[in-house]
Amino acid sequence: MTLAVDQAGLPEAAGDRTVVGANLSLPLFRTLSGVLAGHPYLKVVLDRSEDTWHLLDTRVHPFHVNYIATRILGMTLDELDADLDGFNASVYMAPERRFLLGVLSLHTDDDPDGLERPFLVLETTEADTMSGALLEEFYTYVRGRVDGRLPLLLKPANHGQEQELASIGEARVPRILSHELFGNRTRTCLNPGEAEGRLRYFRSTAEYAAAAAELGWSDIVAMPCLPDDVPRVAGFVNTAPITPLSHTNVLASGWAIPNAIVRDLDALVERDGLDGAWVRYRVREDAITLERLPGTPALDRPVWHQQRIRIGAPLLEEAPVLALHRLRRTDRDSYGTKAANLGELHHVLDSRTADLTAFYARPRPPRPHLLAHLAARLGETDPSPERLRAAAAERVADTVRAPEGVALPFRLHHLFLTSSPALQQGIGKLKMALELEAFDVIDSLCLGLQRLIHGTPMPKEVARMITGAVPAALADGRRLVVRSSSNAEDLPGFSAAGIYDSVTTVQGEDQLMDAVRQVWASLLSPRSVRLRHQVGISLDDTYMGVIVQEYVPAGLGGVLVTCNPTRREDFRNVYLNCAADSPERVVDGTVLPHQYLYNTVEGGGRTVDVGSSGADLPGPTRAALARLALTGRLLQSHFSAEDPDDALDIEWLMTAEGAFRLVQIRPYAR
């Protein structure tokens, strides 16, 4: 049914309820709208040359540009696809454009009396470069044609629009920022997926600790903030805000289980009696549901129970302690993936010969590639492959530095273990218990081995090699950071995020030896042993390398992943989190970090959450983070050589001088 006559005389598609030129009432909005992220929304197109607007039927017209091209300009979709990027530039970026494109979404707020008050939010797309004058024109036009009883707010779609609006008073253009609109969202997708299982709701860490030992693969664990040592289960539910880049969500991604923030879980549990009940748990970007099942479902054991992860045989022969810059990616079987990747990063930055354009060179139908976009991001007028490769290498080398430090090979771990008959005997008992699946004694055997490692003297030969690698730092008491670099992490299907230890407050020889032993001991923690055993990684093949770095003071630290964790089909955006001081504060849940999405195709960035700080970072800092996000995307082309679309997980520091140092590069579990 057509609700209004198309004033431009455009042909109507069957069942198309698109309206042209009409004022918008709430009933008409609901008739035309779809649902996105739990909110009704409606796409609008303002035709400035015709002084009219089009209210699109979302079921028929999911894309603004398709509607403009075919329904207004009379083009075919093939003609549009032939120059899609040029067409997009004409409607999203041209200063004097004919069309203004946006989305109206419907939200509710509570008034002083506690009654729900509906209001509308107008926003453009993330890549839109609308000036302040165009934003005001767009808002004013829509305000004049929307029911006056509905408040209307403009939401800047990116940092550029925020800056453009800064000189326009809020009385003329009332506005709301993304983190203000969605910061208190009741339900938020962290990792999409679906699972059936038994809901186990713990309202405190003490409740969880009392029941942790009995949790199994069919449980869905819910609590305010899940601990990093949560076992492998069917799903996670957080009742307090947390970032998608926390250790637990990286594990959820690697384990392919649903994870979400559900702030109203108390109400759901009380209403539907969900605690301890069997439920169907669905997590999508636009909807998160917990549905009680009528009885106990017949569940198949999860795929990972049959999953077997293969790792390369560790090389334990003569391998020296080496400076990180002397390692390459092929050294992972002697030093571990983390150390090898940092060595490879040194090579990429120093040689500037790596091809960092592969991600952009891939076909993105209907586009043959994204190289023109890369040229624009790099400020290059010459889009030739040779020039882009050189410019990409220059940009990365100018933006980031690799950490200085040394890598201790698996051989030192092996020498330490074989130096103690008691350790060898304890490891033998643990191997036997694993073979017999005697899970009632595995935890105690692991804890006993960890205590033994901490108390075993370091062999003199091993101690000399360690202290001889960083003599200057030990002599003047510099602070060191000691990190894990195992061969049983960062593997396809097994990320091991947060499983092994790092020590960041090391000074002097005694603390260095203690820290190295602690990192080695983390390979035998009950949790790490159980998780590896579940996927068939043999204890015989598992060794720990160690990275020793000088501590670098940082005003800001964080993590970025070269994807959008909650929208896996999004090839444009890099998700970046940061907090004061160190990356550890981002992933361990001690603070809620600043969260950003940076578009590495068309450019621009937007704030997702300002975190515990309550205020956004300054504009110059956000601009620097945009350069870092693009650098992460370029490095993805090299470090994900088998498939340039495979995302990276990068930890970084920003020094007081504004320089970026990358302290870890690994695959992001997807």
Side-chain angles (χ1 to χ4, degrees), residues 247 250 337-338 341 489-490 495-499 559 587 639-640 647-651 664-669:
H247 275 151
V250 173
T337 302
K338 284 183 187 175
N341 279 352
E489 59 186 319
D490 304 334
S495 73
I499 291 176
V559 180
V587 298
F639 284 90
S640 301
L648 296 181
D649 176 339
I650 299 174
E651 291 189 12
Q664 179 174 284
I665 298 179
R666 64 183 179 187
Y668 178 65

Side-chain angles (χ1 to χ4, degrees), residues 621-640:
T621 303
R622 296 192 315 231
L625 294 178
R627 289 177 62 89
L628 178 65
L630 178 60
T631 295
R633 176 70 82 204
L634 295 170
L635 288 172
Q636 178 180 339
S637 292
H638 180 73
F639 284 90
S640 301

Side-chain angles (χ1 to χ4, degrees), residues 586-652:
V586 170
V587 298
D588 66 10
T590 56
V591 299
L592 190 63
H594 288 88
Q595 300 175 47
Y596 300 98
L597 278 168
Y598 285 102
N599 185 326
T600 59
V601 177
E602 289 88 3
R606 52 197 168 105
T607 303
V608 177
D609 201 311
V610 296
S612 303
S613 71
D616 209 346
L617 293 172
T621 303
R622 296 192 315 231
L625 294 178
R627 289 177 62 89
L628 178 65
L630 178 60
T631 295
R633 176 70 82 204
L634 295 170
L635 288 172
Q636 178 180 339
S637 292
H638 180 73
F639 284 90
S640 301
E642 291 185 8
D643 183 351
D645 276 350
D646 287 344
L648 296 181
D649 176 339
I650 299 174
E651 291 189 12
W652 53 272

